[in-house]
Amino acid sequence: MAEEFVITKEQRDENQKKITDLLLSTKRPGMERLVEWIVTKTDFFTAPASTKYHLNCEGGLALHSLHVYQRLSEKVAQGLIKIEPDTVIITSLLHDLCKVNFYVKETKNVKEGTKINQYGKEVPNWVEKEVWGIKDSFPVGHGEKSCWYIQNFIRLKAEEYAMIRLHMGPDKNTYPDPFSETAKIYPSVVAIFTSDIESAYILEEKL
Ligand SMILES: [Fe+2]
Ligand SMILES: [Fe+2]
């Protein structure tokens, strides 16, 4: 992905409005407080979606969440799967809530080509670059942490909990695998997993 991809302040504001309007439209008890917490106590609308992979730019997390919302909505609209509209909104927009207050800007020395030094010798050219790092103050797991944050404010239905907890797909080396076992009960865990990887590895790869 091109590092120079930029989400402008106007686009970030527009994404914030879209996301908060959609979340509030669910009328889920506690949602107003959850939205207020996200807006005033977290960096959800400025955080990147990753340190160096998909949408590693300011506002990337919010844009990625909207992409997953669009992908998941399309699967429902196409008749592939039935998921309640509120469940689509809550799970897609909040699946990566664990990434708030998580990324920090750091400086790092990186090699950028070569230069000729004072003795006429070709040497590596080191430059100081600003990169995204990670500071995880609550490392309980990815989907787990999103569910925990959300459930501090609203109640998740069993299906919504399953979708957010398992949106990263099957766990490695576990049998029975919670992902495939849960997918038999809630096929929507498969739909959010594919929406997530389609967004991160196909759609956002082109940006
Ligand atoms: Fe994720
Ligand atoms: Fe994601």
Side-chain angles (χ1 to χ4, degrees):
M1 174 185 141
E3 254 180 72
E4 62 276 5
F5 183 76
V6 171
I7 303 169
T8 63
K9 169 89 173 74
E10 288 70 35
Q11 287 167 322
R12 292 204 304 265
D13 289 347
E14 213 177 284
N15 292 343
Q16 174 165 343
K17 185 167 176 2
K18 265 189 222 162
I19 290 173
T20 52
D21 283 355
L22 279 165
L23 289 172
L24 292 170
S25 77
T26 65
K27 306 268 188 295
R28 187 70 57 95
M31 185 56 93
E32 281 182 12
R33 283 183 55 234
L34 173 55
V35 169
E36 192 194 332
W37 177 77
I38 292 172
V39 171
T40 61
K41 298 283 196 297
T42 80
D43 57 359
F44 186 83
F45 299 104
T46 51
S50 71
T51 53
K52 48 181 181 286
Y53 307 102
H54 66 127
L55 292 178
N56 60 339
C57 55
E58 253 178 62
L61 176 58
L63 181 58
H64 167 71
S65 306
L66 280 169
H67 287 156
V68 176
Y69 168 70
Q70 286 154 5
R71 301 295 310 137
L72 193 58
S73 301
E74 279 166 24
K75 291 178 203 296
V76 175
Q78 287 159 0
L80 176 72
I81 187 159
K82 267 195 190 138
I83 310 173
E84 287 293 315
D86 284 2
T87 296
V88 171
I89 292 171
I90 290 167
T91 58
S92 60
L93 294 179
L94 301 177
H95 75 282
D96 274 340
L97 194 59
C98 55
K99 293 180 177 174
V100 298
N101 305 341
F102 177 74
Y103 294 108
V104 284
K105 275 185 180 160
E106 290 171 349
T107 50
K108 198 178 162 189
N109 287 323
V110 291
K111 244 189 262 179
E112 221 177 55
T114 55
K115 63 174 183 185
I116 306 297
N117 74 4
Q118 65 206 74
Y119 309 109
K121 226 178 130 192
E122 194 178 9
V123 291
N125 183 34
W126 290 95
V127 290
E128 206 172 72
K129 271 212 162 163
E130 201 169 64
V131 293
W132 290 104
I134 281 172
K135 198 164 174 268
D136 196 351
S137 52
F138 191 39
V140 293
H142 185 78
E144 291 88 336
K145 185 156 68 164
S146 292
C147 291
W148 183 78
Y149 277 151
I150 298 165
Q151 301 216 90
N152 282 339
F153 299 94
I154 67 167
R155 290 187 69 170
L156 288 171
K157 295 177 181 170
E159 181 180 20
E160 294 165 349
Y161 176 86
M163 289 171 72
I164 296 169
R165 160 66 185 88
L166 296 168
H167 78 263
M168 298 293 277
D171 290 336
K172 302 270 180 309
N173 307 322
T174 53
Y175 184 83
D177 166 43
F179 179 81
S180 34
E181 294 298 306
T182 310
K184 291 178 201 157
I185 309 166
Y186 300 119
S188 48
V189 301
V190 179
I192 195 167
F193 169 53
T194 53
S195 299
D196 190 42
I197 53 173
E198 283 160 5
S199 299
Y201 292 94
I202 302 174
L203 190 62
E204 292 159 15
E205 195 60 32
K206 294 185 202 143
L207 297 176

